[in-house]
Amino acid sequence: MQIKNSSSGYGLVSILLHWLIAVTIFGLTAAGLWMVDLNYYSPWYKAAPFWHKSIGIALAAALLLRLIWRLASPVPDSPANHKRWEVVLAHLMHRLLYILLIAILASGYLISTAKGQGISVFGWFELPALISGIPRQADIAGELHFWFAMALLGCVTLHAIGALKHHFIDHDSTLIRMLRPGSIQSKEK
């Protein structure tokens, strides 16, 4: 089993981090959209934000780990059949995904710390409120949090469409490389 990336495929660590982050993004987005409609009498009124914040902090840690891993184990070469514009677009999309994810996490932090209270992470420890007291901090950060999340979902959709296009139309290894550690570029033309 290949742990690190190679020039032709992703390693197990990159694949697991990719899918862990993807599933977490979808789960947090669904939970976030659901919990904004909870009223004070809902049994989830306090529990949902607690779990959303805790998992959001865990996502920030996973993202940091992924960025560090990316430096330690550089991404594989693009498949030989990819056109120059596809390679450039893929690199831009990956950067945009990282930027949006960081913006979502930062705005979530600003929402949670607006009143000067830290964020309890699964009840294990508290992340301190380093930034608070900005006028309308929670409102502005909340609006940005929502729109960054919607933009991220749009980009993730385009990212997935691109992977499916490469798999079903181009018949190359783009998608397989993110599913099977150490995959080689066997079908490229």
Side-chain angles (χ1 to χ4, degrees):
M1 179 80 41
Q2 183 176 322
I3 301 297
K4 290 185 86 174
N5 299 342
S6 69
S7 62
S8 62
Y10 290 95
L12 182 63
V13 174
S14 293
I15 292 171
L16 290 177
L17 286 170
H18 175 272
W19 292 110
L20 173 69
I21 289 170
V23 168
T24 304
I25 288 168
F26 286 118
L28 284 174
T29 302
L33 292 171
W34 166 72
M35 73 184 195
V36 295
D37 288 331
L38 295 175
N39 65 37
Y40 182 78
Y41 300 103
S42 169
W44 286 98
Y45 184 75
K46 289 187 180 183
F50 169 81
W51 288 105
H52 187 82
K53 292 174 195 178
S54 292
I55 295 169
I57 299 300
L59 175 60
L63 178 63
L64 180 61
L65 181 60
R66 181 170 169 100
L67 292 170
I68 291 169
W69 184 253
R70 190 174 171 115
L71 294 173
S73 186
V75 297
D77 298 332
S78 297
N81 69 319
H82 284 197
K83 296 170 184 70
R84 177 79 180 129
W85 67 267
E86 290 175 313
V87 173
V88 169
L89 193 60
H91 287 293
L92 289 173
M93 179 59 76
H94 283 111
R95 282 187 174 84
L96 183 56
L97 289 168
Y98 284 123
I99 289 167
L100 285 169
L101 195 46
I102 291 166
I104 290 167
L105 294 167
S107 59
Y109 175 82
L110 290 172
I111 297 166
S112 302
T113 60
K115 293 181 180 176
Q117 298 173 331
I119 303 169
S120 175
V121 182
F122 300 111
W124 299 336
F125 65 94
E126 186 170 292
L127 195 65
L130 301 175
I131 302 170
S132 63
I134 298 170
R136 299 189 58 237
Q137 179 175 329
D139 294 335
I140 294 167
E143 192 73 19
L144 290 172
H145 193 68
F146 173 79
W147 289 111
F148 288 148
M150 294 303 103
L152 181 69
L153 286 180
C155 289
V156 166
T157 301
L158 292 174
H159 179 67
I161 289 169
L164 294 172
K165 176 249 186 209
H166 282 290
H167 187 74
F168 291 109
I169 296 173
D170 298 341
H171 304 288
D172 68 28
S173 65
T174 301
L175 179 60
I176 298 301
R177 294 187 327 164
M178 195 43 77
L179 295 172
R180 191 170 40 219
S183 299
I184 58 169
Q185 304 170 30
S186 59
K187 290 183 160 182
E188 273 82 57
K189 299 171 186 170

